[in-house]
Each structure stands twice: as structure tokens, then as C-alpha cells.
Amino acid sequence: MEKYETHKHDIIVIGAGGAGLRAAIDASARGASVGLVCKSLLGKAHTVMAEGGVAAALANVDTGDGWKTHFHDTMHGGKLLNNWRMAQIHAQEAPERVEELEHWGALFDRTKEGKINQRAFGGHTWKRLAHIGDRTGLEMIRTLQDRGIHSGMDVYMECTITHLLKDGERISGAFGYWRESGRFVLFQAKAIILATGGIGKSYKVTSNSWEYTGDGHTLAYDAGADLIDMEFVQFHPTGMVWPPSVKGILVTEAVRGEGGILTNREGKRFMEKYDPERMELSTRDIVARSIYTEVLEGRGSPHGGAFLDISHRGGDYVKKKLPSMYHQFKEFAEIDITKEPMEVFPTTHYVMGGVRVDAETTVSTVPGLFAAGEVAGGMHGANRLGGNSLSDLLVFGRRAGQGATEYANKINDNSLSIDDAEIEKAVKEMLEPYENPHGENPYTIHQALQEAMGEYVGVFRTHEKISEGIEELEILKERAVTLKIEGSRMFNPGWHLCKDLKSMLIVSEAIARCALQREESRGAHSRVDFPGYDDEKWGKVNSVISKDNGNMKISTSPLPQMPEELKSIVDGGYK
Amino acid sequence: MSVARMRVYRGDSEGGREMEYEVPLEEGMVVLDALHFIQANYDGDLAVRWNCKAAKCGSCSAEVNGMPSLTCKIRLDTLPLHQPITVYPIKTFPIIKDLVTDVSWNYEVRKKIQPFTPAPDTDWTMYQEDVERSQEFRKCIECFLCQDVCHILRNHDKKNEFFGPRMMIKMAEFEMHPLDTADRKEQLRGEAGLGYCNITKCCTEVCPEGIHITDNAIIPLKERVVDTYFDPLSWIFSKFKKN
């Protein structure tokens, strides 16, 4: 077998977005030896795409805010399917995490009194989102990057992890390849933190980048960890629709937060019909379905979307508060949003489901394997509120760093072994596409998968459609067994896609099978054949995905029980 | 169907050549779409860096018809389509493969810059007008197009003497942070090589974020250094500016 290099750390963090960086910073600060491994260059992770803000009950603008209201809003946004303890920790710790970013150099927009400014967002009772214009994610990742590179961690850029390795039940390492050279690399570690983000590249119309191929979900699943609630895929209500080349690119919710109005082709403000109280600032699941329904019923804009208008706020204000949106529409669509409306339609944005974790430490059901950020499940229930993702990354990124360090500290050096047979198997799997003279083109299968997921497991679902989708996935899985690529192993995107495609097929199957199982509509999961909530049955369980003898097993498990004092916050219409 | 003829540089450190591909045009298509079409339909191993495809991450820098650009931002219908469109890797950094270059030097330099250093007793009150100067520089998406086009790096290869425009705005960002207490002037004058910049503003012209790199960062930094160290060359320059 060919030679590979080996690196040894206490903790390997996979993924260098907000959660990964925050975890690595925390673990380094606690004295752990940390390796941060990322598929792209440092600072390019999907967090840079986050626009509108980070939710935290700082109460700088609306002084009535507090963690209890944030907790209440998050639970209702998630249609009470959230892991209550995660939602509680998140609401309690988010303000401190945001202030800490400021102490590390982040420059948030300010209030007149010189405090961090906060804006309104869907489903949040108060103005809660700390922001920097509409580039909050970029500010966050730069701040964490600046902090991280001076924290003593080693950063392994453009390196893809393909397999996790275990010693018995415990994690002992991770195996992958350098994108540049195509050479293999082994990381020995006592603990691994997954911070790999989401799965959006399984869908055609998506706001997600190439990296979002469900790697962490698949690594965890293959290592024997439970995933939960994969049917809950958030379709962000407002993606661009025209021209075709930018279809799916995100239009920040901050447009609505700053007063944007949605209308249909008849000029009617249709949210009056779907959520008269909150209107455009309803939760994402509801706004997405409303736009979808308007278009379905023939009241869409010329390119099949809804109109979103912010021009009434005036040119200067719009350019100041939404500069990226102004440029995005000007340059890609030749639309001046200070003068004319945008056209928008739902786009695949975020997966609420993910690795089942312990709220306190973020450990998964596999010892030594931790998960934070989008790859983890539970925090957001059936629907995530805007702005709760960036705060989630910070709160649970930090907790993952802490949890993993405390775990690693209990393990003696050199007490874990690496199974050479596992590595040989991984190498064989990775090199297989070079052996197939007559295999399929991975790009072709990826496109077919994206079409299928949009068609069969999209915004509105039925038993019949999902079943067809599962059949289609089976065919694609079969076709993906023999993939063919050309060229060398040096920076070969076709080769990289072969493994990413396998991950996407696994998460897609998990999404489809969970969607078929859950016979109700809740949050982002809308079953046309079961249009209402079924609180008695499905409101009480998480969907659970696990690997059972090589096959995907779908089941349920009871929701963790909320203590009475929190129940009263949730029930109380808390303000 | 109308097509674009794409001439893409294919090769590595050993050498390479242009390859021509025909790509069907779709409304609003950008150069990166054309590169993705080539990957999916002709050469799956065409090496391209990209992430967000929305001009927010700065990964897909290349030289399109000789112009350093983000390939996700250049619409094909803004280019002369009667002739082939050339796409080359950015020239200032060593090629890895095709359109992918080794930009690791930037990460090494970045580490040398003293990070934000607040006073221990800071109360964190800041006003919007005070943060705006640094906020402009913090819009940087690290596409390194300014580094690519800077003649000190590109033509004279002074990488060991000049940090480049990207790092100048990084240093300016900290220097102009209202609560920063560190002093980077010695570094600016010394290893960062601020004096090398002779204000040709090429960096500002290619910045996809529209950051006024020269006017708002480099010139004020030069003035700060002059005020402290009385560098004669910069002193003359500052006299010119005042006149």
C-alpha cells in the first residue's frame, strides 16, 4: 500500500466554519493539541455566507428581551421538537458569546448609545440580531480566524476527511486526502469534533456551496453514531430566481427584517392571508410555503417567484443596511433594489437534523466523537429561526471544544490504536474510481440526485412522491457504485466528487426515509397528505437514523422531557 | 444555440497550455458557470477553487481576458463573445494546477501581524462613526486579487520585503479599530515594507468589494509612519499631498 503521512493531536476538528473555529479556539485555550482540518482555504467556509445577523438576547435595543423570551421563540420556531436543553443553553449563553467576539475584534453595527445594534428577524419577539450590515458571517469568521491563528492550533487547509477510525467503540483517528496532491493523510486523535456544516448540495436549487455535501453526517453515520430528524430541511423563503445562473443564491432575511414587503403578481401582500399577525416576519417554514403556494396557484412573478420590495426605505438606507444585496442584484440581475422589487423563491438552505448530541458536551452516541453547528441535530427542532445558526455555532462550538478536551484529558497517550485494515479499506475505496474504465460520470449522477431531491423531497411532500424519490435514490446508489474519473490525483474535482457524492446519497436517503416515516406536517416538513400537526404521536418523538448491518435503519425515540419551569415559559406566550 | 469559446489554461508547475472548450450560453451566466460546465461535460479534473458563487468568499479568483477577477462575478454577456475568452490562473502566485494557485504565502504573512489588542479595562462603548473606518477594511473577502495585481509582488516578486495591499488593509483595520492599543508602525515601516507602495492604485481598481485600499488605508498608514519616524521620502510625498 502507498505511504501516507501521519499527524497526531489530542483533538481533530473537522471543518473551519464558525463552529469548528470556535471549538478549536476553546480546546487550544484549554491546553489541548488541536488540528483544524478544512476542505477549503481557511476563512472560506460557509459561515461567510451568513448575512442577517447573530441572535442573542443582549437587550440593547429592546430592553425587555432576555434568555427566556429567546428560548420561548426558539422552541416555538422549532414547533417544540427542539432538544429543550440545547435551546435553553443556547439562549442563555449566546449574549456572552457575541460580546466575546467583540472583545476579539469584531466590529458590529452600533446603536446611538454606542452598543451593539440589533435588528428584527422572523419569529423573534424582539429586535435581537447583532449584525454588520448584511455580512455578519464574514465578520464572524474573520474574527475567529484572527483569534484562531494565534491560538497555537495547527491548520490543515484543503484537506478532506473521508473516514473516521475507531479503536473498539472509541474514536482513534481520521483518514483523508490532501486536495492539492491527492496523497493520503492520517490524523491520530483522542477526540474528533465534527463541524462540517450541512447537506444543501444534495438539492439543485440551494444557497449552499460545494462543500455542503453532508460529510460530517455521513462520517458519523458510518462510525455508528445516531442521526436525528433528517426530514427537517429548511427551505429559505427568499432565494434569487433570475437569471438562471444565480437561481438559489440567498436573499437575506434582513431585507424583511428591515421592512421588506412580499407581494404577488396581483400586487397583493399575500402574507396577510397566511400569517396576518407577523406578516413577512413570520417563521421561515411558513413564509417559504406561502411563496410556494402563491406561485403554484398561478399568482407568481414573471420568473416564478414572489416580489420582495425594500425600495420604500430609500436608497441611502438600503445601501447602508443591505450593501451586499444591493450589489448582488445590481451585478447578477441588473436590478436596482433601491428602486424596484426583487423576485424571490424558496431555496434549500439548512438542515435542522443531524448528529444526535448531548446538550452539555456535544458528544455523539460514539465515545470521542463530538459535533457542533449545522451537522448537529436537535437545537432547532423542526424549523430554525434566522440568526439562531450563528449563535448556535458559537455556543456549541465552544462547548464542543470544552467537552472534547475534558474527554481527551482522561485518555492516556498512546493508548489508542489505529487499525491498518481499516486504512487499507479506505484507500481501496478512494482509489476505486481510477480502476473503472466504463463507470459513470460523477457529475451526471450528482445532477440527477439534485433533480430528484427537489422533485420528490422538496417543500411539499406526499407518500407517493417520497416513495418514488426513494426508488430513484436506489437507482442512483446503484449507478454510483461504479464511477469513472479522468486525470491524475492532483487537485482533481471529479475525483473529490466521487466521495462527496456517496455522502450526499446517504444523507438524501436519510432525508427521504425520515420524511416518509413522519406522517404529519411540522415546521419545514410539509406532508400534503397529512397537513396538520399530530401532537399525540409525532409531536412526542424524534426520528432516529442509524446504520444497522450496513443498512439504514429509521426509527423514533421519545423527546427529552422538559422541566416544568421551562414548560411554563414555552406555554406562557412569554414576552 | 449561441456558445462561448472558453480558452482555459491547463497545466501545473511543469508547464501547460490553453485548451479551448465550447460552452452553450444561458442568460446571466458567469465565467464560473462556464468552468463548471466544462468540468461536468468535458474535463472532470479541471481544477478550480470556488465556494459561494455569490462574490462573498473570494475563492474563485482568476485572470479573465487578462483581467484579475472573481470568476463568479464576471457575466459572459459583458465580455466580447465573438472572440475566445481566456481564463488563466492568477499570475503572482505559483501554480498548483490549472486555475488553482498556491496562496499559502498570504496566510504566512497574516500570522506575522499583531492581532487586535484592546486595553484590559476597556468598556466597549463604540459609536458607529468610529467603527466605520475599520468596517470598510473588514469587508475584505481575501480573494487576493489586490496581491495579484500589485506590481511590487507581481513584477518584482518582493514577497519577502512587502506584505502587499491585502495585508496593508489588515493592518489598517487593527490600527484604526477605535479600541486597539497596539502600535504596528515599526512593523509597517520595517518588514511589512509599506514604503514600497508608490500609490499606483491598481489594487483599489480590482477590489471586488470596492474597498479604497490606497486612499483609505495605505496613505493614512504612510502618514502615521511619517509622523512618527520622519522618513524623508514619505515626508516629501506628504508635502506633495498637502500642496
Side-chain angles (χ1 to χ4, degrees):
Chain A
M1 198 178 66
E2 69 175 73
K3 283 190 179 148
Y4 53 84
E5 62 181 277
T6 302
H7 298 274
K8 200 167 175 178
H9 289 281
D10 294 328
I11 296 167
I12 287 293
V13 181
I14 307 174
L21 271 163
R22 189 64 191 80
I25 289 168
D26 187 88
S28 299
R30 289 171 198 278
S33 148
V34 178
L36 177 63
V37 185
C38 49
K39 287 212 285 189
S40 288
L41 296 171
L42 188 61
K44 307 299 184 191
H46 210 276
T47 305
V48 301
M49 292 285 288
E51 292 164 351
V54 44
L58 296 160
N60 287 350
V61 176
D62 288 332
T63 48
D65 204 6
W67 77 263
K68 289 179 183 172
T69 322
H70 193 181
F71 169 73
H72 165 273
D73 293 348
T74 300
M75 291 299 295
H76 282 282
K79 319 298 162 186
L80 307 182
L81 209 68
N82 321 51
N83 176 315
W84 63 267
R85 180 62 183 146
M86 289 177 88
Q88 181 191 21
I89 289 172
H90 167 259
Q92 288 173 331
E93 295 182 2
E96 202 182 320
R97 295 283 81 76
V98 169
E99 282 166 359
E100 178 178 72
L101 275 188
E102 176 161 86
H103 299 178
W104 294 349
L107 284 172
F108 290 96
D109 286 351
R110 318 305 297 179
T111 64
K112 281 196 183 71
E113 298 76 37
K115 294 180 189 168
I116 294 173
N117 199 2
Q118 296 183 275
R119 65 160 50 115
F121 239 58
H124 291 282
T125 303
W126 305 108
K127 286 185 176 150
R128 189 174 284 147
L129 268 73
H131 60 276
I132 300 93
D134 53 4
R135 54 163 194 86
T136 313
L138 175 67
E139 183 75 8
M140 198 163 116
I141 208 158
R142 280 294 172 271
T143 306
L144 293 171
Q145 194 179 341
D146 285 338
R147 184 83 184 174
I149 59 173
H150 297 287
S151 295
M153 64 185 74
D154 287 322
V155 182
Y156 302 93
M157 296 199 288
E158 298 198 311
C159 182
T160 302
I161 297 299
T162 58
H163 297 80
L164 297 183
L165 304 168
K166 293 202 297 187
D167 178 357
E169 289 305 303
R170 297 186 301 178
I171 284 292
S172 62
F175 190 73
Y177 63 86
W178 293 105
R179 290 167 58 76
E180 181 181 326
S181 63
R183 309 288 297 178
F184 293 115
V185 53
L186 168 68
F187 296 96
Q188 287 183 271
K190 297 173 184 171
I192 286 182
I193 300 172
L194 297 172
T196 51
I199 57 91
K201 269 290 161 189
S202 310
Y203 286 81
K204 186 177 176 190
V205 178
T206 175
S207 66
N208 291 174
S209 82
W210 73 270
E211 295 195 286
Y212 265 39
T213 51
D215 301 13
H217 292 80
T218 305
L219 288 169
Y221 169 79
D222 281 338
D226 284 352
L227 308 180
I228 57 167
D229 298 342
M230 290 299 287
E231 65 273 40
F232 297 106
V233 175
Q234 180 164 76
F235 300 95
H236 193 290
T238 58
M240 288 178 82
V241 284
W242 190 259
S245 100
V246 294
K247 195 167 183 178
I249 290 183
L250 187 65
V251 179
T252 173
E253 186 169 330
V255 175
R256 283 173 287 135
E258 297 292 348
I261 288 166
L262 285 166
T263 53
N264 61 21
R265 75 186 307 157
E266 295 156 4
K268 196 170 166 353
R269 199 171 165 188
F270 55 84
M271 285 310 296
E272 283 169 355
K273 192 164 67 186
Y274 302 98
D275 189 346
E277 198 183 321
R278 296 183 294 187
M279 302 287 281
E280 282 82 2
L281 288 179
S282 181
T283 50
R284 288 179 173 176
D285 51 341
I286 293 169
V287 182
R289 271 196 297 276
S290 306
I291 295 174
Y292 200 101
T293 304
E294 289 298 305
V295 174
L296 209 63
E297 293 176 358
R299 295 184 295 276
S301 64
H303 299 109
F307 293 112
L308 174 61
D309 194 4
I310 188 71
S311 61
H312 55 278
R313 295 305 306 261
D316 289 343
Y317 186 83
V318 171
K319 282 185 210 169
K320 182 131 185 113
K321 295 307 269 186
L322 304 162
S324 319
M325 288 304 108
Y326 173 72
H327 288 289
Q328 186 171 309
F329 274 90
K330 191 102 185 150
E331 282 150 24
F332 292 134
E334 291 169 43
I335 297 240
D336 180 351
I337 66 166
T338 67
K339 298 197 175 78
E340 45 193 329
M342 302 157 244
E343 279 183 83
V344 293
F345 192 71
T347 180
T348 312
H349 186 56
Y350 187 90
V351 61
M352 274 68 74
V355 180
R356 174 183 243 170
V357 291
D358 166 54
E360 315 292 333
T361 62
T362 82
V363 72
S364 72
T365 51
V366 170
L369 184 62
F370 298 74
E374 190 172 349
V375 68
M379 161 67 209
H380 305 287
N383 171 64
R384 176 174 68 79
L385 294 183
N388 269 3
S389 177
L390 290 186
S391 40
D392 170 12
L393 306 183
L394 295 172
V395 168
F396 291 102
R398 180 186 148 277
R399 280 184 168 257
Q402 179 175 1
T405 309
E406 285 170 1
Y407 170 87
N409 285 344
K410 288 185 212 141
I411 294 180
N412 292 331
D413 287 341
N414 305 318
S415 64
L416 293 168
S417 64
I418 298 285
D419 182 353
D420 290 336
E422 287 292 303
I423 292 182
E424 258 177 68
K425 220 167 91 186
V427 167
K428 191 164 178 288
E429 182 198 332
M430 290 306 296
L431 294 182
E432 215 247 319
Y434 284 104
E435 319 283 322
N436 301 325
H438 304 295
E440 292 246 22
N441 179 348
Y443 292 98
T444 310
I445 298 185
H446 185 204
Q447 282 165 6
L449 170 68
Q450 291 182 317
E451 297 278 353
M453 289 304 284
E455 167 74 22
Y456 301 114
V457 206
V459 175
F460 285 110
R461 303 162 174 181
T462 63
H463 179 92
E464 200 186 347
K465 277 271 181 197
I466 303 166
S467 305
E468 278 178 59
I470 290 172
E471 279 173 39
E472 178 67 27
L473 287 173
E474 289 300 326
I475 295 167
L476 291 174
K477 263 163 65 182
E478 195 53 44
R479 286 174 63 188
V481 169
T482 324
L483 297 171
K484 183 186 107 167
I485 44 152
E486 51 210 3
S488 71
R489 271 163 64 187
M490 256 181 86
F491 215 114
N492 186 339
W495 181 48
H496 305 161
L497 181 58
C498 292
K499 178 66 181 171
D500 292 348
L501 182 60
K502 284 188 185 173
S503 303
M504 284 186 275
L505 283 163
I506 288 171
V507 292
S508 296
E509 185 181 346
I511 292 166
R513 291 195 186 278
C514 289
L516 188 69
Q517 175 182 249
R518 184 174 286 273
E519 294 185 328
E520 66 159 353
S521 290
R522 182 178 298 270
H525 172 66
S526 304
R527 284 283 297 261
V528 177
D529 44 353
F530 296 94
Y533 292 100
D534 181 348
D535 286 331
E536 281 313 303
K537 186 176 179 194
W538 292 104
K540 293 191 167 127
V541 290
N542 291 114
S543 311
V544 181
I545 305 96
S546 58
K547 199 172 183 178
D548 186 23
N549 277 328
N551 293 318
M552 188 175 286
K553 186 176 137 196
I554 307 291
S555 58
T556 61
S557 73
L559 278 183
Q561 282 306 296
M562 210 185 318
E564 283 307 318
E565 67 266 28
L566 293 182
K567 254 187 210 157
S568 67
I569 295 173
V570 171
D571 295 342
Y574 203 90
K575 273 216 168 183
Chain B
M1 188 191 284
S2 54
V3 295
R5 280 181 294 146
M6 307 296 296
R7 274 199 197 154
V8 183
Y9 185 81
R10 308 260 357 236
D12 53 32
S13 57
E14 315 261 284
R17 64 193 176 100
E18 277 180 8
M19 296 274 284
E20 188 163 314
Y21 305 93
E22 273 195 0
V23 174
L25 282 168
E26 206 181 38
E27 193 165 359
M29 196 167 183
V30 294
V31 172
L32 184 59
D33 290 317
L35 299 174
H36 285 161
F37 185 90
I38 293 166
Q39 285 181 325
N41 295 281
Y42 301 120
D43 281 336
D45 64 336
L46 171 66
V48 180
R49 273 201 191 102
W50 71 285
N51 280 63
C52 74
K53 204 179 166 288
K56 290 188 173 68
C57 76
S59 300
C60 63
S61 303
E63 300 192 0
V64 178
N65 283 352
M67 188 64 181
S69 332
L70 293 179
T71 58
C72 75
K73 214 178 163 182
I74 302 289
R75 283 174 61 147
L76 289 174
D77 58 13
T78 64
L79 300 170
L81 289 170
H82 59 277
Q83 62 197 48
I85 296 159
T86 62
V87 189
Y88 272 67
I90 51 176
K91 190 184 159 193
T92 298
F93 298 101
I95 186 169
I96 291 173
K97 186 183 151 194
D98 303 339
L99 301 177
V100 174
T101 54
D102 179 1
V103 293
S104 56
W105 174 76
N106 294 288
Y107 291 87
E108 295 304 315
V109 173
R110 167 107 181 242
K111 261 187 155 170
K112 296 181 188 167
I113 300 171
Q114 183 178 350
F116 171 60
T117 314
D121 55 349
T122 304
D123 89 336
W124 301 103
T125 302
M126 289 183 268
Y127 297 96
Q128 188 60 38
E129 53 272 27
D130 300 325
V131 300
E132 268 170 15
R133 287 220 297 180
S134 276
Q135 278 188 334
E136 181 191 1
F137 310 135
R138 292 178 72 89
K139 289 195 304 191
C140 173
I141 56 175
E142 299 204 316
C143 62
F144 304 128
L145 290 175
C146 58
Q147 306 286 72
D148 180 45
V149 83
C150 173
H151 63 98
I152 301 153
L153 303 175
R154 185 183 180 98
N155 304 116
H156 305 292
D157 198 22
K158 298 265 186 208
K159 291 198 189 76
N160 45 7
E161 292 171 62
F162 182 50
F163 282 6
R166 160 48 186 148
M167 300 308 152
M168 291 300 135
I169 62 167
K170 187 77 205 165
M171 294 177 84
E173 164 198 319
F174 294 138
E175 284 286 300
M176 297 179 197
H177 189 299
L179 301 177
D180 183 76
T181 59
D183 184 350
R184 297 168 189 79
K185 287 195 284 291
E186 173 62 40
Q187 188 181 33
L188 278 163
R189 194 176 75 126
E191 67 169 335
L194 177 63
Y196 271 106
C197 171
N198 53 357
I199 326 257
T200 53
K201 300 197 182 185
C202 309
C203 51
T204 304
E205 274 172 38
V206 297
C207 178
E209 285 294 306
I211 300 169
H212 300 88
I213 302 173
T214 324
D215 289 346
N216 290 355
I218 295 182
I219 292 175
L221 287 178
K222 277 178 181 276
E223 287 170 348
R224 286 181 184 209
V225 169
V226 168
D227 286 348
T228 308
Y229 293 99
F230 194 72
D231 176 346
L233 274 177
S234 302
W235 179 78
I236 291 167
F237 166 77
S238 75
K239 288 291 161 196
F240 268 114
K241 199 163 171 272
K242 277 173 193 156
N243 297 331

